[in-house]
Amino acid sequence: MLVDLIGQRFGRLLVTAQAESKAQSRWWVCTCACGSEVVVPTYRLSSGNTKSCGCLKRDRRAELNKIQKTKHGLSNSKEYKAWCNMMQRCIHKPDKNYGLRGINVALELQEFSAFFNYMGPCPEGLTLERVDVNKGYERGNIRWATPEDQARNKRTSVKFSLGGETVNAVDLADRLGVSPSTITSRVKAGRSLEEIISLEKGVKRVFSLNGSPVSLSTASKLSGVPYHTLWARVNRQGLSLDEAVAYIGGAKCYSND
C-alpha cells in the first residue's frame, strides 16, 4: 500500500508534493523550515536520516563551535574535553552506542559550568564513566574512573563464574597477575576458564612424557598435538600424557631434548 506523505512533517521538513520516482523509490518535494526546498526519498524521511535541507547539521556545528569558544579558561582541560565528547556522542552527533541507543545527557549537565561544578577536577589517570551503562549522563550515574574500572563496566565485558561468583576479564586478570588482553585473547582462542587459570600465576602442572617432566604446552610443541586436545584428554578423560599423545598421534615416544 502506497502512503501519501504530503502534509506530513519530518524534523524541519514539510512534504509539499510528490516528485518523480527514481530507482524504484518514491521521492518527495519538501520545504525546510529555513525556506529551502529539497527532494528526498521516502526511506530517508521515514527512517529519520533526513530531517532538514542540511541546515540542522550546520546549526549544530555552529552551536558546538560557539560552545568550544566559551571563555571559561578550561578549553584545553581534560574536564572540558570529556564534556565535549559526552555532548558529541549523545547530542550533537549521536552514535549507535550512545545517542542512538537512548543514552542522553541530563539538561542540567549540558552546560559545561554545571558539569564541572558537579564533577570537579579530573584526577590524573581517570576518565569519565557512567556507573550504570544503560542509563544516561546524569547526577549519581557519572564519575571519574580508572581504565580498569571502565573495562569492568563495559556492556561487552566477558563474564566468568569463579568460585560461586561472577567475575569479568579484568578481575580475573588482576587475580592471575596478567593483562586483561591476555585473558580475552585466550577466550577468543576457545580456551576454558580452567585452561586459562592453569596457564598463569605459577599454577602450571608438570606431567611426564616418555619419562621426562614437561608442561602441557611443551608436550604440545614436542608432539604436534594441539594444546586444547591434550588438555581435554588429560583433564576430562583422565588419560596420562603419554596416553593422550598416543591416542591422537599414534604410539610414539617423545622427549623434551
Side-chain angles (χ1 to χ4, degrees):
M1 178 179 177
L2 299 179
V3 179
D4 188 354
L5 300 183
I6 295 176
Q8 294 190 41
R9 185 174 293 279
F10 299 86
R12 294 185 178 184
L13 297 178
L14 175 64
V15 181
T16 58
Q18 183 175 344
E20 182 180 351
S21 297
K22 301 177 184 179
Q24 299 183 342
S25 296
R26 299 180 78 192
W27 289 63
W28 304 89
V29 178
C30 303
T31 300
C32 187
C34 71
S36 300
E37 191 173 86
V38 291
V39 179
V40 186
T42 301
Y43 72 91
R44 292 194 68 86
L45 292 171
S46 59
S47 66
N49 287 335
T50 301
K51 299 179 180 179
S52 73
C53 66
C55 63
L56 179 59
K57 185 176 182 179
R58 290 193 297 271
D59 289 348
R60 285 177 173 173
R61 187 182 299 115
E63 179 185 357
L64 182 59
N65 290 337
K66 182 179 178 181
I67 290 173
Q68 291 175 339
K69 293 178 181 178
T70 303
K71 304 296 184 180
H72 47 55
L74 294 172
S75 297
N76 294 319
S77 67
K78 291 171 56 178
E79 297 83 3
Y80 186 70
K81 290 177 181 178
W83 178 79
C84 284
N85 288 336
M86 173 186 74
M87 294 292 291
Q88 180 82 349
R89 61 177 54 144
C90 294
I91 297 178
H92 299 301
K93 193 176 180 180
D95 66 33
K96 64 180 181 179
N97 293 318
Y98 292 89
L100 297 181
R101 195 169 68 87
I103 303 301
N104 212 329
V105 180
L107 188 61
E108 62 180 325
L109 298 178
Q110 292 183 21
E111 289 290 337
F112 174 69
S113 57
F115 171 84
F116 184 77
N117 288 337
Y118 175 69
M119 292 297 294
C122 178
E124 186 66 30
L126 304 190
T127 55
L128 182 63
E129 179 196 53
R130 285 168 293 127
V131 178
D132 185 336
V133 295
N134 293 311
K135 293 183 179 180
Y137 291 89
E138 56 193 51
R139 286 178 177 267
N141 197 49
I142 53 176
R143 63 182 179 181
W144 300 121
T146 64
E148 291 77 19
D149 287 335
Q150 293 249 16
R152 289 187 179 95
N153 208 21
K154 281 186 176 180
R155 289 185 298 136
T156 55
S157 178
V158 180
K159 301 294 193 302
F160 302 94
S161 178
L162 182 63
E165 65 174 316
T166 300
V167 297
N168 55 35
V170 177
D171 293 323
L172 185 57
D174 284 345
R175 299 185 186 190
L176 297 179
V178 298
S179 68
S181 61
T182 298
I183 300 298
T184 54
S185 65
R186 286 179 176 165
V187 170
K188 290 179 181 179
R191 287 179 171 166
S192 66
L193 181 58
E194 291 81 5
E195 289 179 283
I196 294 172
I197 292 175
S198 70
L199 284 170
E200 303 302 337
K201 212 171 182 179
V203 294
K204 292 182 180 180
R205 293 171 57 191
V206 176
F207 300 86
S208 175
L209 180 62
N210 194 29
S212 300
V214 295
S215 65
L216 277 185
S217 58
T218 299
S220 175
K221 293 176 182 178
L222 292 172
S223 66
V225 180
Y227 175 92
H228 66 274
T229 301
L230 289 180
W231 188 94
R233 297 297 180 188
V234 171
N235 291 283
R236 293 177 181 167
Q237 297 188 20
L239 301 179
S240 68
L241 187 54
D242 286 320
E243 291 172 327
V245 169
Y247 183 92
I248 299 297
K252 298 179 180 180
C253 293
Y254 301 89
S255 73
N256 62 345
D257 292 337

